[in-house]
Amino acid sequence: MRIATITNWAYGATVCLTIAAGVTMVMASNADKVEREAVRQRDLFDQLAFEVEADEAQLTDQARLAAVTGDPSHEIAYNRTLAAIGPVEQRLAKLKDNGAKEEELRSLEEGLRWAATLQDEQKAAIAAIKAGDELTAHKIIFGAEYERELERVHFLLGRFRYMLDNRSDRAIEEASRASQRLRTVSEVMVAITAVLFLFVLGFVLKRRILKPVVKLSDVVNRLADQDYAVEPPQLSQIDEIGDMAHAIRVFRENGIERQRLERERDADWHVRDLLSRMTQRLQGCESVADLFEVVRLFAPRIAPELAGRLYTLDTRLGMMACASEWQSPHGSDAAFTPDDCWALRRGQSHMPGGDLVDVPCKHVPPETAEATVCVPLTAQGETIGLLVLENMAGRNAADRRGPNGNIQVYIELMSETVGLALANLKLRDALHEKALFDALTGLRNRHELADTLRRNVAQADASKTPLSCLMVDIDHFKQLNDRHGHDAGDMTIRSVAGALDNAVREDGIAFRYGGEEFLLLLPGCDRDRALDRARLIQERILAMTLVHDGMPLGPVSVSIGVATYPDHGPAHMLIATADAALLRAKDEGRNRIVQAGENNEKTASAATG
């Protein structure tokens, strides 16, 4: 029952009891009034009875005095008293008007009639005195009959008073009992009203309001501090307090849901911040190795529940090779063909786990297939890599599932970012290779020569070691090119370049300087070792057998100029000095090695001129 209903019923009962108590008090007051009226009436009737007796006694005394003394003044007083008394009917009417009963009036009337008889005898006695018959007067007024009649009058008046006293006592007693009874009823009703009030006050305020409100107040204060771990009391009562408790439970549930959404929002912003930072780091990568390291560091933070591997396509072997891994995923990191992965076949994410049945990829272990998602890395419609991610929380057989919805979104964003960055790096590497390496021979070209020379000179100065430079030129190349064609000439250049690269791969760098001319830098190689390396190169090239379209091209020879820093001059003149030595070798008949002389600046100048 609701508190409002309880209080309304209690209020109605209190009002009814209060009205009843008021009516009872009014009735008790009326009973008191009846009691007072009975007392007043008895006093009035007693007074009238006493007046009658006193009047009769006075008339008797005056009549006897008149009979004894013969004094006319007593007669006059007698007549005056008799006139003041009035007739019997007047006295009876006065008593009747004041509420005397018929029985009482009859008793009083009888007494008054006998009093009237006495008055007649008194008048007769006074008349006999006037006539001079004193004996008769004395017999009348002092006779035994007169005394009996006088006693009868006193008896009848006494009986009248007795009847009045009995009636008055009964009325007073009944009025007193009624008043006491009504007062008792009124007091009981007041007590019931007080008990009802105290019951309502104690039950409603303490049991139904105070205790629940104290509990709810503590809950509300903790909820105000956003402590949604507090459990609101389970109040089964169907009233305003119950409605309040239900509202607080709804508020708590909304707060918990809001906190969950805020945590998801914060987590989402955190992941998005990680993705943004990862994108920035990927954009700053100078090599594919840097990219693999960035992915290895950021992927576990973006998706903490996912272990994974990053595969890239090895175009030479046509295989997907593992480039990086994190959080120890199951299975082997062995390379596999693109046909073994359904994600690479379909060009979109593939996740066989979940409600839909799907075919697992062959490169994924069967026990974790349903908890693994494969995401292809594509750029400009070309597949360049693959992300294989395994949900570590879904490895158990009873809980095999792939990443949830939010993580899938992050995975897609990460795959797009990584794929684009990987494509950019590969494109940059390709452009860099085209810019720095000769397309025909695969050797470095002249664009990187200045930076490479500067680094090697700085290293030589720091370590106090020599730096040698070999300028190599193919002898009579124009005649070979004219005789056998450009294809034969290109094959000759590639063969010589390969021999040069093999000769210096361990401790030097080979450049295609231009046309059929090459340059070799040998850090840490002094003039004697440089001369020995030049002889080795000359021998290997002379030993080559070149055949083009089934026709031998004949022996190929080279002329070599050798210069060493700092023996043969300053660093900025090293290439010019070696070039001058090469010109001398060619002038001296080719197929020979010339080392720069001591006066290298003069030799270089003459060669340049």
Side-chain angles (χ1 to χ4, degrees):
M1 184 179 294
R2 290 186 174 274
I3 295 175
T5 305
I6 295 175
T7 53
N8 288 338
W9 277 103
Y11 176 75
T14 304
V15 170
C16 293
L17 289 172
T18 303
I19 294 174
V23 172
T24 306
M25 292 294 292
V26 171
M27 294 174 65
S29 178
N30 290 335
D32 292 341
K33 185 177 180 182
V34 170
E35 181 181 356
R36 291 193 297 272
E37 182 64 24
V39 173
R40 185 192 65 78
Q41 192 181 60
R42 183 182 64 179
D43 293 342
L44 178 62
F45 289 168
D46 285 344
Q47 182 182 358
L48 291 174
F50 281 119
E51 287 178 357
V52 171
E53 288 183 345
D55 290 343
E56 291 301 322
Q58 186 177 4
L59 289 173
T60 299
D61 290 341
Q62 290 175 354
R64 287 180 174 178
L65 286 173
V68 172
T69 64
D71 188 356
S73 61
H74 292 295
E75 182 184 358
I76 295 172
Y78 174 82
N79 291 329
R80 186 183 297 115
T81 301
L82 184 64
I85 292 174
V88 174
E89 289 79 6
Q90 182 179 353
R91 290 186 174 184
L92 292 174
K94 185 177 180 180
L95 289 172
K96 188 175 183 180
D97 290 342
N98 282 276
K101 303 297 181 182
E102 291 294 332
E103 182 180 359
E104 298 166 351
L105 291 175
R106 283 195 302 269
S107 177
L108 181 60
E109 184 181 4
E110 185 178 357
L112 292 177
R113 295 297 179 191
W114 281 106
T117 301
L118 290 176
Q119 292 173 7
D120 291 342
E121 292 178 355
Q122 292 166 0
K123 290 177 183 179
I126 291 173
I129 291 297
K130 286 182 178 181
D133 190 359
E134 294 181 359
L135 181 61
T136 301
H138 283 189
K139 286 182 179 180
I140 294 172
I141 201 70
F142 291 104
E145 185 63 26
Y146 185 85
E147 291 294 335
R148 286 193 294 270
E149 291 177 356
L150 185 59
E151 289 294 332
R152 186 175 293 159
V153 169
H154 286 300
F155 171 76
L156 292 174
L157 289 177
R159 189 176 67 176
F160 171 70
R161 283 195 301 271
Y162 176 75
M163 294 174 64
L164 284 177
D165 289 340
N166 288 337
R167 182 170 68 83
S168 297
D169 290 341
R170 288 194 303 270
I172 291 171
E173 185 178 359
E174 290 177 359
S176 297
R177 285 198 300 267
S179 176
Q180 186 63 33
R181 185 169 56 252
L182 292 173
R183 289 181 185 279
T184 302
V185 172
S186 176
E187 291 172 357
V188 170
M189 289 184 178
V190 171
I192 293 174
T193 303
V195 171
L196 179 62
F197 174 76
L198 293 176
F199 170 76
V200 172
L201 187 66
F203 179 77
V204 174
L205 291 184
K206 185 175 181 181
R207 186 186 182 105
R208 295 294 296 271
I209 295 179
L210 185 60
K211 289 183 178 179
V213 166
V214 169
K215 294 179 181 178
L216 293 178
S217 175
D218 179 65
V219 173
V220 169
N221 289 332
R222 293 181 64 179
L223 290 178
D225 295 334
Q226 295 186 351
D227 180 11
Y228 297 109
V230 61
E231 287 290 340
Q234 297 294 331
L235 301 179
S236 59
Q237 57 196 64
I238 304 176
D239 56 13
E240 292 81 357
I241 301 298
D243 295 342
M244 187 185 304
H246 176 70
I248 290 175
R249 284 194 296 272
V250 173
F251 179 79
R252 174 178 173 270
E253 292 172 358
N254 292 337
I256 293 174
E257 181 64 18
R258 184 170 63 252
Q259 278 190 341
R260 185 186 66 80
L261 294 176
E262 289 177 354
R263 286 195 297 269
E264 289 183 356
R265 182 197 62 191
D266 294 341
D268 181 71
W269 280 111
H270 176 68
V271 173
R272 290 183 181 275
D273 179 66
L274 287 174
L275 284 170
S276 176
R277 291 169 57 195
M278 180 180 179
T279 301
Q280 295 175 0
R281 302 304 182 271
L282 291 174
Q283 291 175 352
C285 290
E286 292 293 336
S287 65
V288 176
D290 292 343
L291 181 142
F292 297 155
E293 182 64 18
V294 169
V295 173
R296 188 185 66 81
L297 291 176
F298 277 87
R301 298 180 180 272
I302 294 173
E305 295 183 355
L306 301 181
R309 290 190 178 96
L310 170 63
Y311 291 86
T312 58
L313 179 62
D314 188 340
T315 55
R316 295 176 303 171
L317 302 176
M319 301 284 285
M320 303 300 298
C322 180
S324 178
E325 74 172 43
W326 53 94
Q327 302 199 124
S328 304
H330 283 72
S332 171
D333 60 353
F336 57 89
T337 62
D339 290 339
D340 289 339
C341 181
W342 282 95
L344 297 177
R345 290 188 187 185
R346 299 164 58 220
Q348 59 185 6
S349 299
H350 183 73
M351 184 175 63
D355 298 332
L356 299 178
V357 178
D358 209 335
V359 181
C361 296
K362 294 181 180 180
H363 64 91
V364 177
E367 62 272 14
T368 59
E370 295 184 4
T372 302
V373 57
C374 297
V375 184
L377 303 179
T378 59
Q380 299 178 354
E382 180 184 358
T383 300
I384 58 177
L386 176 69
L387 282 175
V388 180
L389 304 172
E390 178 187 344
N391 186 4
M392 295 184 294
R395 290 175 175 177
N396 298 328
D399 189 26
R400 288 178 179 172
R401 64 185 187 279
N404 58 42
N406 290 337
I407 297 298
Q408 290 186 28
V409 174
Y410 303 148
I411 291 172
E412 294 293 338
L413 292 174
M414 183 172 64
S415 66
E416 292 178 5
T417 303
V418 173
L420 182 60
L422 184 59
N424 289 337
L425 282 175
K426 289 194 172 185
L427 178 61
R428 188 174 68 179
D429 289 344
L431 295 176
H432 185 265
E433 185 175 354
K434 289 182 179 179
L436 300 182
F437 291 87
D438 178 60
L440 178 62
T441 63
L443 300 180
R444 298 173 184 269
N445 56 30
R446 293 183 63 176
H447 294 290
E448 199 183 4
L449 178 58
D451 291 339
T452 304
L453 178 61
R454 184 169 55 254
R455 289 194 301 270
N456 280 272
V457 170
Q459 183 178 359
D461 291 337
S463 60
K464 305 299 182 180
T465 56
L467 171 65
S468 296
C469 176
L470 277 65
M471 293 291 293
V472 181
D473 183 77
I474 301 175
D475 296 332
H476 307 294
F477 178 75
K478 186 176 184 307
Q479 298 177 7
L480 184 147
N481 199 45
D482 292 340
R483 185 182 311 120
H484 299 284
H486 291 290
D487 292 340
D490 291 342
M491 185 190 71
T492 302
I493 290 176
R494 283 196 298 271
S495 300
V496 172
L500 295 175
D501 189 40
N502 290 331
V504 299
R505 179 172 298 173
E506 298 295 332
D507 55 359
I509 305 173
F511 296 85
R512 185 182 182 189
Y513 198 67
E516 70 275 15
E517 201 169 21
F518 302 91
L519 185 147
L520 306 179
L521 288 178
L522 300 174
C525 188
D526 57 17
R527 53 194 301 177
D528 295 332
R529 290 174 57 195
L531 193 59
D532 293 338
R533 186 68 57 87
R535 294 192 184 101
L536 176 62
I537 291 172
Q538 189 178 42
E539 292 173 358
R540 288 183 178 180
I541 293 176
L542 285 173
M544 290 190 308
T545 301
L546 302 180
V547 177
H548 177 67
D549 289 338
M551 296 181 59
L553 299 181
V556 176
S557 64
V558 294
S559 298
I560 302 176
V562 181
T564 301
Y565 167 78
D567 295 343
H568 297 147
H572 68 277
M573 296 296 296
L574 181 61
I575 296 177
T577 302
D579 190 46
L582 173 63
L583 290 177
R584 286 172 50 197
K586 294 171 67 176
D587 290 342
E588 292 176 3
R590 293 182 172 82
N591 191 19
R592 64 187 59 237
I593 300 171
V594 176
Q595 190 173 48
E598 293 296 333
N599 193 3
N600 47 56
E601 291 187 10
K602 181 178 179 181
T603 305
S605 299
T608 305

